[in-house]
């Protein structure tokens, strides 16, 4: 009887697993679309079945469109949507760090943030162009001396990531009543990390702000 009960339990477990294998592919995209990035990562570490579900490319595509933008619905990432999501998330975080540096008026961090190259460029909202690493960093020193601790609100962030280049477009506000600054940031990947190589800020009103 013990053996029979054990065999019955094994059969039940096998049938249960088989049912999950049949159900999961059909409900993956819909069910997992309710999860956020950390939850989907945690799910992938539970067991092999959930790992397969959580690594489904359609689930990561749906999460990408929910968290970022529908503009890239026709894109087919070379390394899949999970890797593309992770790369996009890294750029979004890096872009947020840029504005934190401005708020803190940290020239040291801004110097580390930019690629030390002669082709980097920075156009502040004043319209003045600075070309080359030294000129760009000096422009930020001037900006930080001009006004300390500018607190931007950043909205409508859009990101596009290629193999070693990424760009971000957004609107930034100092005061909502004055209208937005239209900002474009470009990054390049060098020696294991991303660096800023281009910043362009423009506004309807010519105000000296980064």
């Amino acid at each position: 009887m013990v053996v029979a009960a054990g065999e019955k339990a094994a059969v039940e477990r096998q049938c249960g697993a088989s049912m999950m294998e049949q159900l999961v592919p059909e409900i993956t995209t819909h069910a997992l679309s309710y999860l956020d990035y950390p939850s989907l990562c945690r799910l992938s570490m539970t067991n092999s079945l959930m790992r397969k579900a959580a690594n489904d490319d359609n689930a990561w595509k749906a999460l990408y469109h929910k968290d970022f933008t529908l503009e890239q619905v026709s894109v087919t990432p070379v390394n899949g949507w999970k890797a593309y999501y992770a790369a996009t998330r890294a750029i979004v975080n890096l872009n947020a760090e840029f504005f934190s540096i401005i708020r803190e008026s940290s020239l040291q961090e801004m110097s580390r943030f930019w690629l030390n190259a002669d082709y980097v460029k920075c156009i502040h909202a004043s319209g003045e162009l600075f070309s080359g690493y030294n000129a760009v960093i000096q422009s930020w020193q001037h900006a930080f001396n001009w006004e300390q601790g500018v607190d931007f609100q950043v909205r409508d962030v859009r990101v596009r990531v290629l193999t070693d280049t990424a760009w971000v477009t957004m609107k930034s506000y100092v005061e909502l009543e004055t209208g937005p600054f239209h900002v474009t940031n470009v990054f390049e990947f060098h020696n294991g990390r991303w660096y800023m190589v281009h910043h362009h800020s423009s506004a309807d009103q010519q105000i000296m702000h980064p």
Side-chain angles (χ1 to χ4, degrees):
M1 293 296 293
V2 174
V3 174
E7 290 177 350
K8 182 180 180 180
V11 170
E12 290 176 349
R13 286 195 298 271
Q14 184 176 358
C15 290
S18 178
M19 290 178 63
M20 282 296 295
E21 290 172 354
Q22 292 174 16
L23 288 174
V24 168
E26 296 181 3
I27 66 173
T28 293
T29 301
H30 178 72
L32 299 187
S33 67
Y34 291 96
L35 299 181
D36 57 13
Y37 176 59
S39 299
L40 198 56
C41 290
R42 286 194 294 268
L43 181 65
S44 68
M45 296 185 289
T46 54
N47 57 56
S48 59
L49 186 60
M50 290 298 99
R51 185 181 305 111
K52 180 180 178 181
N55 286 332
D56 180 76
D57 210 44
N58 289 325
W60 285 98
K61 181 178 181 179
L63 184 62
Y64 177 93
H65 290 153
K66 182 176 72 172
D67 286 359
F68 301 123
T69 175
L70 289 170
E71 292 176 356
Q72 300 182 47
V73 67
S74 62
V75 170
T76 304
V78 176
N79 297 317
W81 280 99
K82 183 177 181 180
Y84 193 63
Y85 183 100
T88 304
R89 174 63 64 187
I91 293 298
V92 168
N93 293 342
L94 192 64
N95 192 68
E97 182 183 347
F98 171 70
F99 285 97
S100 295
I101 292 172
I102 295 177
R103 293 185 187 99
E104 297 167 1
S105 299
S106 175
L107 187 63
Q108 179 179 0
E109 288 301 310
M110 188 63 79
S111 300
R112 182 191 63 83
F113 200 78
W114 283 79
L115 180 69
N116 191 340
D118 58 2
Y119 63 84
V120 302
K121 289 178 172 56
C122 181
I123 305 172
H124 293 286
S126 62
E128 190 171 1
L129 167 65
F130 299 90
S131 184
Y133 178 80
N134 291 333
V136 166
I137 300 306
Q138 287 174 7
S139 78
W140 284 108
Q141 183 176 23
H142 177 73
F144 293 158
N145 290 337
W146 180 267
E147 185 168 351
Q148 296 291 318
V150 179
D151 188 11
F152 287 96
Q153 295 184 46
V154 181
R155 299 182 177 181
D156 298 330
V157 177
R158 295 290 183 268
V159 181
R160 180 80 166 94
V161 183
L162 300 182
T163 304
D164 55 5
T165 305
W167 58 93
V168 189
T169 60
M170 72 221 81
K171 297 176 182 178
S172 64
Y173 297 80
V174 177
E175 296 178 359
L176 294 179
E177 295 78 10
T178 61
F181 293 89
H182 301 279
V183 181
T184 300
N185 290 333
V186 181
F187 301 89
E188 288 185 359
F189 194 78
H190 294 272
N191 300 320
R193 57 161 289 190
W194 290 96
Y195 291 89
M196 179 171 281
V197 296
H198 185 93
H199 167 74
H200 188 169
S201 177
S202 62
D204 295 334
Q205 300 178 9
Q206 293 300 306
I207 306 172
M208 177 61 73
H209 276 301

